């Protein structure tokens, strides 16, 4: 039986275990989207993960839905990311960048005043946190990308991918989930286009596929390019009909691309993140449900599952052949040595979700490893 703690061959990249630190936006960059040194320390502390995926990082400033999130569109950003990748590699880790264009999700007060763009002009019926006004409705001032502008934006992803490689990353995960731009193209509710990017389920998959093609061109191989999807999720105002049809076509097309992996986010997990009641989870039995089987049946390559996993659930899903690699999100915020803790059955430090976004070290780089925690407890008080 394979174990979570066995090596895994992700194409040409050897992962020491099957545990993935999931992408987590933490808003620790400068207002201009430059990664800060504290981010290098945070990721390096978590280098024993089989694979680290960074927080969502914008390839083009219009796609910066939240304030203080990083980009990879300028030389300064690329150089600052180099400190992160060097720090992770120095500790023996592996790190993919998550390329995230938020499309209609966000507000122009968060991105320096640029008009936000989407597949169509339907605004997201959802709230966003802004520095100026706290929680407020997402922008309604949307620009529908013309066909030519859509191709230009695909080139923005390509340019960012060239920088990602130059910054020393091991690969890229395209964020195609959670209601962001590629997902807006996929959904029939947010894509009312009649050009080559809309009108049928196949054409709605075109944007994501074309972006992936250009990421592959930038890297020179498809084996370091991946994508995250979230079929049927209701998050950031996204809703989808024709889910099975659209995602069947998409997964067929992803098979042809021979990517590093496809990651998926379960619908349940984001509801639990948003503290909404989730009556569909019975005794934590989520692994056998959509989209686990849906993705596994249609996709031939490596599958990463994410959402509400524990060591036990992940191992069960692995035993049942439902997925290959497993994302841990919130547990990674407060347990830099999550792999060692799970492997040795050491207790996990609970996560203080009040420290999710913004600030500096507190709740970010100050969570101890199990060994540090115990060493501290051995020091006599007053010492
Ligand atoms: C603070 C926070 C920020 C997140 N930001 C992102 C993100 O930038 N990109 C992404 O794909 N998922 C993001 N997620 C989702 C996580 O990657 C993960 O899939 C989710 O937390 C479910 O895993 P968990 O139940 O182990 O926390 C975020 C989650 C949290 C808690």
């Amino acid at each position: 039986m394979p174990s979570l703690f066995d090596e895994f061959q992700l194409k040409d990249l050897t992962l020491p275990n099957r545990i993935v630190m999931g992408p987590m936006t933490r808003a620790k960059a400068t207002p201009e989207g430059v990664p800060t040194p504290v981010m290098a320390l945070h990721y390096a502390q978590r280098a024993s993960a089989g694979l680290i995926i960074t927080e969502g990082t914008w390839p083009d400033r219009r796609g910066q839905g939240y304030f203080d999130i990083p980009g990879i569109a300028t030389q300064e950003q690329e150089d600052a990311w180099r400190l992160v990748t060097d720090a992770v590699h120095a500790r023996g880790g592996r790190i993919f960048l998550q390329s995230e264009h938020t499309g209609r999700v966000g507000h122009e007060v968060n991105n320096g005043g640029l008009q936000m763009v989407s597949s169509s002009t339907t605004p997201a019926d959802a709230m966003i946190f802004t520095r100026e006004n706290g929680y407020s409705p997402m922008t309604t001032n949307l620009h529908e990308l013309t066909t030519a502008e859509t191709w230009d934006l695909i080139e923005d992803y390509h340019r960012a991918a060239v920088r990602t490689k130059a910054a020393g990353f091991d690969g890229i995960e395209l964020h195609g989930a959670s209601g962001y731009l590629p997902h807006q193209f996929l959904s029939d509710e947010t894509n009312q286009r009649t050009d080559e990017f809309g009108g049928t389920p196949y054409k709605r998959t075109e944007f994501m596929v074309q972006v992936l093609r250009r990421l592959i061109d930038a890297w020179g191989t498809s084996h370091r390019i991946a994508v995250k999807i979230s079929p049927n999720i209701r998050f950031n105002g996204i809703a989808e009909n024709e889910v099975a049809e659209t995602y069947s076509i998409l997964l067929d097309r992803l098979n042809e691309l021979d990517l590093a992996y496809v990651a998926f986010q379960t619908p349940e997990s984001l509801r639990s993140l948003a503290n909404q009641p989730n009556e569909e989870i019975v005794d934590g039995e989520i692994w056998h449900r959509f989209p686990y089987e849906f993705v596994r049946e249609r996709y031939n390559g490596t599958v990463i599952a994410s959402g509400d996993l524990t060591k036990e659930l992940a191992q069960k899903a692995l035993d049942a052949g439902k997925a290959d690699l497993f994302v841990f999100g919130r547990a990674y915020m407060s347990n830099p040595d999550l792999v060692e803790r799970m492997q040795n059955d050491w207790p996990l430090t609970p996560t203080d979700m009040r420290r999710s976004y913004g600030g500096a070290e507190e709740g970010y780089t100050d969570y101890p490893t199990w060994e540090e925690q115990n060493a501290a407890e051995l020091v006599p008080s007053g010492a």
Side-chain angles (χ1 to χ4, degrees), residues 20-26 53-57 66 69 98 100 173-178 180 228 235 264-266 268-270 272-273 305-310 327-333 338 351 353 355-357:
V20 177
M21 176 183 169
M24 280 179 288
T25 292
R26 303 297 301 274
I53 321 289
T54 70
E55 60 213 276
T57 301
Y66 308 87
I69 66 172
Q98 189 183 56
E100 173 192 281
E173 177 182 282
L174 172 65
H175 200 341
S178 306
Y180 298 124
K228 176 173 176 179
F235 188 66
F264 67 81
Q265 176 97 44
T266 54
E268 295 82 1
S269 58
L270 289 184
S272 84
L273 269 181
S306 50
D308 287 330
L309 290 169
T310 58
V327 154
F328 290 83
R330 286 163 286 181
Y332 250 119
M333 292 167 71
L338 185 66
T351 314
M353 293 301 287
R355 307 251 178 241
S356 298
Y357 304 107

Side-chain angles (χ1 to χ4, degrees), residues 122 134 203 265 276 279 309 313 332 349 366 379:
T122 332
K203 288 181 172 178
Q265 176 97 44
Q276 292 167 5
E279 281 143 21
L309 290 169
L313 282 172
Y332 250 119
T349 303
D366 56 358
V379 175

